[in-house]
Amino acid sequence: MFTAAIMIVVGWLLWFLPASFIQRAPQDWLISISHRLKHSRKINDSNWGDPVVRITRNIVVKYGPGVSPGEAATQEYAYQHLDPKIVQVPRVYRYFQHHESLDAKLNGYLFMEYIPGQNLKTRNNIGSDSEITRKLIKIIAHLGQIAGGSVPGPVGGGIPRGTLWGDGGAKREFRSLEDVNDWVNKRIEPIDETVDLTPYPLVLCHMDLCRRNMVLKKDESICLLDWGYAGFYPRFYEMAAIRCGNDHYNTPLFEATSKAIPLTEEELRCMDLVIRAPDASFQWTL
């Protein structure tokens, strides 16, 4: 009983810790707290992705082997460069990596702002003409205005991950759009097609716009969560990721966005081939 009472007091004290403490606290202590609270304060789907644990009233931690430096850097870049009147992004408070043991995978720990509101995975009535969809179209257009130099992928480098790269991600970093050309063209060679992505500027893309990654706040603004697949790519990569998404909302979102932000014929062709690239090489081996 005494131990249980102590744990209740400790939990209460943790709930009110400020972000400044999280930024200064020893890594070992933060790791221990993250794991201890996983079973009682985990807030994301237990069967999907790395755990997200609410450790204080205003702070969550996402941790696991899939939480990369590129995710933290891209989320921080988005927080700093996107207009909060158009889209909200959780503020990053701290990131580090740690081997849990000598033979364990390298885990990333991303401490960030907790965003209260309604997770849109609970909304099943979002159509192509809904107010939420109109807000998302505006968000996608805004993302497409954030330029990112000449290096594709996550901010600061890293291996691109997500549906468009197949299982396990791209398995390599890209230093230029020529590198991406090479990656895509090798995979679509069996269908006798090629792409040239070099004419297209790199813009910020979220690359995982499904309902579980969106929170509708009380003020009706939308916050985008989970920047693990995000990075800088040609603008039609965002459209390609929406089209390939397995959320039933992706179809109306893709249709509405295609009308509001039309792509050129060549962009549409490149988008189609980028989507087909992971499967084309696999089918060729069967």
Side-chain angles (χ1 to χ4, degrees):
M1 182 179 296
F2 182 68
T3 302
I6 291 177
M7 290 304 298
I8 291 172
V9 173
V10 169
W12 184 86
L13 292 173
L14 280 173
W15 195 246
F16 296 99
L17 283 178
S20 58
F21 180 86
I22 298 298
Q23 292 165 336
R24 299 191 307 266
Q27 287 189 16
D28 289 347
W29 185 84
L30 290 172
I31 291 168
S32 176
I33 289 298
S34 299
H35 287 269
R36 284 176 179 271
L37 293 177
K38 177 181 175 180
H39 298 293
S40 60
R41 296 188 187 173
K42 189 169 180 287
I43 62 174
N44 63 329
D45 190 326
S46 60
N47 297 319
W48 187 268
D50 297 301
V52 179
V53 180
R54 192 174 178 186
I55 59 172
T56 79
R57 180 177 54 179
N58 299 315
I59 301 172
V60 299
V61 58
K62 179 182 179 183
Y63 69 89
V67 185
S68 68
E71 176 176 354
T74 306
Q75 182 173 325
E76 177 63 22
Y77 189 98
Y79 175 82
Q80 292 178 356
H81 290 82
L82 292 175
D83 184 348
K85 294 179 181 178
I86 299 175
V87 59
Q88 303 279 315
V89 179
R91 181 178 179 182
V92 173
Y93 292 121
R94 186 171 178 180
Y95 176 82
F96 58 81
Q97 290 179 298
H98 178 76
H99 277 292
E100 308 302 321
S101 62
L102 291 177
D103 58 347
K105 291 183 178 180
L106 186 65
N107 278 353
Y109 289 80
L110 174 57
F111 295 84
M112 56 188 154
E113 179 184 8
Y114 169 72
I115 303 296
Q118 181 188 21
N119 190 290
L120 291 183
K121 69 182 180 182
T122 63
R123 295 278 290 267
N124 295 316
N125 59 342
I126 310 175
S128 60
D129 193 38
S130 69
E131 182 61 27
I132 288 174
T133 299
R134 286 189 284 273
K135 289 177 184 288
L136 285 170
I137 290 171
K138 188 174 181 181
I139 289 170
I140 292 167
H142 181 45
L143 287 167
Q145 295 170 348
I146 309 299
S150 61
V151 180
V155 171
I159 297 173
R161 298 185 296 127
T163 305
L164 298 182
W165 309 103
D167 294 339
K171 295 184 173 64
R172 58 173 288 196
E173 292 190 42
F174 300 124
R175 299 188 180 277
S176 67
L177 276 171
E178 286 84 355
D179 285 350
V180 186
N181 279 347
D182 178 68
W183 190 94
V184 174
N185 286 330
K186 282 183 178 178
R187 284 157 180 78
I188 61 175
E189 184 178 0
I191 59 176
D192 198 26
E193 292 278 5
T194 61
V195 297
D196 180 12
L197 304 177
T198 57
Y200 304 108
L202 296 173
V203 298
L204 185 59
C205 298
H206 182 274
M207 303 288 282
D208 198 11
L209 292 176
C210 56
R211 289 173 302 152
R212 70 174 180 276
N213 291 334
M214 306 172 193
V215 170
L216 184 65
K217 299 178 67 179
K218 284 186 177 180
D219 63 2
E220 298 297 311
S221 64
I222 291 177
C223 179
L224 294 184
L225 311 177
D226 197 344
W227 292 78
Y229 294 169
F232 284 94
Y233 305 100
R235 67 171 185 162
F236 50 83
Y237 266 71
E238 190 78 88
M239 296 290 291
I242 294 171
R243 185 172 166 186
C244 289
N246 58 11
D247 187 330
H248 68 75
Y249 175 55
N250 285 90
T251 297
L253 179 60
F254 178 81
E255 292 173 351
T257 307
S258 297
K259 293 177 182 177
I261 311 173
L263 302 177
T264 67
E265 287 188 12
E266 182 59 20
E267 283 180 311
L268 288 169
R269 189 186 77 87
C270 289
M271 181 184 71
D272 180 64
L273 292 172
V274 163
I275 290 171
R276 296 174 67 182
D279 289 336
S281 59
F282 174 72
Q283 291 172 358
W284 187 251
T285 63
L286 296 180

